[in-house]
Amino acid sequence: MALMNHSSYSRPRLNRSSLIVPLSNRKFIEKAHLRGADSITLDLEDGVASNAKADARAALADAIPMVSRGGAWIKVRVNRRLDLLVEDLRAAVIGGVACIGIAKTDSAGHVRLVAELIGELERERGLPIGAIRLAASIETPQALQRAHEIATADMRLMSIGLGSLDLAAACGFEAVPETLLYPKQMVFYAAKAAGLECGGFIGSIADYTDLDGLREVIRESKKFGFRGGGAIHPNQVKVLNEEYGPSREQIDNARTIIDLAEAAFAEGKGAFAYKGKMVDKPVIDAARETLTLAATIAEHEAKVQQLLINEH
Ligand code: COA
Ligand code: MG
């Protein structure tokens, strides 16, 4: 079997915000492409009531071209219960789906089972083998203890994250930044050690009307290394994009650092001072990353503008 290797996977590049859209809600689907999210998570799991799962699956294929009209890439969140999972994957392993989100990931075995089912469906349907990536959500204390084995379970994984509300419910704590810091960091380091992205932020997305609170939480989370998160409401998308994208000041600083670095290197110096602080390789690398991200965002935003103009 010709499985694609790690470097040949197409890694979706922008991941500041993912709008979670329950597939049972036609009204949400119709306008989801106008909300500015980098990706759309089409939900078959807890956003969809048990008696609506079949209809939600049936709505998936048509929803994909609709929600991607504004340039967002697509993730589908599938159920933990195995009978539902198999049906969900039958619906979700189709063209246009970039990633499957595994809800309530239990273990490395759970990830590999999903990967195996996806592989079989890709083969059966003539889709490129290995093209669909995985994002695993850790939502129980048991899975949290297995974060490292989950993160290294399969080459399809692109990110892992912690499901704040579900972990809080399973453990009986309140989903607030101070209680979430430790489990979020456990998942963060498991992700980093495996070379994966870590989804989410050190807070919960449930309080969707408190946008100032969300902004504060994301600013804090960014300091800890978090780089993108989910939104349950369109108003949260703007805050995620603004805060996880580099600010004007960060872009200007990064440009200056790169200019100063070139001058310093020309003199054989690896380190120099900028605004009273020492700058050397890791800071220069971070400045390059900031500029790359800013360029990717600018390119994406121009593409989105064009797509939306063409639509009208
Ligand atoms: N995706 C797409 N559109 C959404 C949306 C979502 N998740 N949530 C709200 N919208 C739309 C509404 O349709 C409305 O559109 P309109 O103004 O163009 O008519 C607009 O955004 C404003 O919505 P609002 O009236 O403020 O919210 P609501 O009362 O309709 O819904 C929630 C509030 C929390 C019930 C709703 O946002 C929701 O169901 N979110 C998803 C929850 C979920 O998936 N949970 C499980 C995963 S963690
Ligand atoms: Mg949940």
Side-chain angles (χ1 to χ4, degrees):
M1 179 182 65
L3 201 81
M4 295 163 89
N5 66 33
H6 239 309
S7 59
S8 65
Y9 280 121
S10 58
R11 187 182 281 262
R13 291 183 75 196
L14 268 187
N15 207 6
R16 295 166 299 172
S17 58
S18 191
L19 178 60
I20 304 168
V21 183
L23 271 160
S24 48
N25 197 320
R26 176 84 197 169
K27 186 169 155 258
F28 287 3
I29 293 169
E30 273 163 7
K31 290 203 219 159
H33 68 293
L34 300 172
R35 312 296 187 182
D38 289 340
S39 75
I40 305 274
T41 299
L42 292 171
D43 190 25
L44 289 167
E45 206 231 1
D46 285 353
V48 176
S50 301
N51 60 1
K53 300 279 185 198
D55 287 347
R57 268 181 225 119
L60 177 56
D62 286 346
I64 290 166
M66 286 183 80
V67 302
S68 50
R69 277 175 291 171
W73 58 276
I74 310 298
K75 194 195 275 186
V76 179
R77 187 167 76 153
V78 294
N79 286 280
R80 162 73 187 123
R81 247 181 62 180
L82 291 183
D83 54 342
L84 300 179
L85 172 67
V86 170
E87 289 301 312
D88 290 350
L89 291 175
R90 284 194 181 285
V93 177
I94 54 178
V97 173
C99 179
I100 301 281
I102 311 175
K104 301 182 180 64
T105 308
D106 179 55
S107 60
H110 181 195
V111 174
R112 284 196 283 264
L113 183 76
V114 174
E116 185 180 328
L117 286 164
I118 293 173
E120 282 164 6
L121 288 163
E122 281 173 340
R123 216 162 306 132
E124 195 177 292
R125 297 173 177 186
L127 294 166
I129 308 289
I132 293 182
R133 306 294 305 266
L134 289 172
S137 182
I138 290 174
E139 309 184 28
T140 64
Q142 293 80 4
L144 189 59
Q145 298 306 318
R146 297 194 277 264
H148 172 72
E149 63 163 85
I150 288 170
T152 51
D154 192 88
M155 283 190 19
R156 287 180 195 263
L157 279 164
M158 60 179 278
S159 73
I160 58 170
L162 183 86
S164 305
L165 292 172
D166 285 277
L167 184 75
C171 297
F173 67 76
E174 256 183 76
V176 290
E178 59 267 42
T179 58
L180 288 166
L181 177 60
Y182 177 63
K184 286 275 176 182
Q185 283 197 300
M186 282 176 76
V187 173
F188 178 86
Y189 286 111
K192 293 294 140 183
L196 305 182
E197 291 163 27
C198 184
F201 42 80
I202 311 164
S204 139
I205 46 178
D207 193 2
Y208 68 93
T209 52
D210 180 11
L211 296 177
D212 290 338
L214 178 67
R215 196 176 288 281
E216 208 176 295
V217 161
I218 296 170
R219 278 194 189 162
E220 206 53 29
S221 301
K222 201 174 165 182
K223 287 189 209 161
F224 284 87
F226 292 83
R227 291 289 177 265
I232 54 144
H233 190 282
N235 289 348
Q236 295 174 319
V237 170
K238 189 166 178 281
V239 178
L240 284 164
N241 286 352
E242 282 171 8
E243 294 300 327
Y244 278 132
S247 66
R248 189 71 260 161
E249 192 191 349
Q250 286 165 333
I251 296 170
D252 291 344
N253 274 336
R255 268 207 196 98
T256 308
I257 287 171
I258 298 299
D259 290 346
L260 292 173
E262 274 162 19
F265 295 160
E267 292 173 22
K269 289 185 211 154
F272 56 91
Y274 176 59
K275 291 190 173 174
K277 288 191 180 136
M278 190 273 286
V279 172
D280 71 350
K281 190 172 179 303
V283 182
I284 298 165
D285 289 347
R288 278 206 189 92
E289 258 175 54
T290 298
L291 294 182
T292 305
L293 178 60
T296 310
I297 291 168
E299 196 184 309
H300 173 75
E301 277 167 5
K303 189 177 127 199
V304 169
Q305 287 292 325
Q306 201 51 50
L307 284 168
L308 296 179
I309 289 167
N310 291 348
E311 203 197 319
H312 288 109

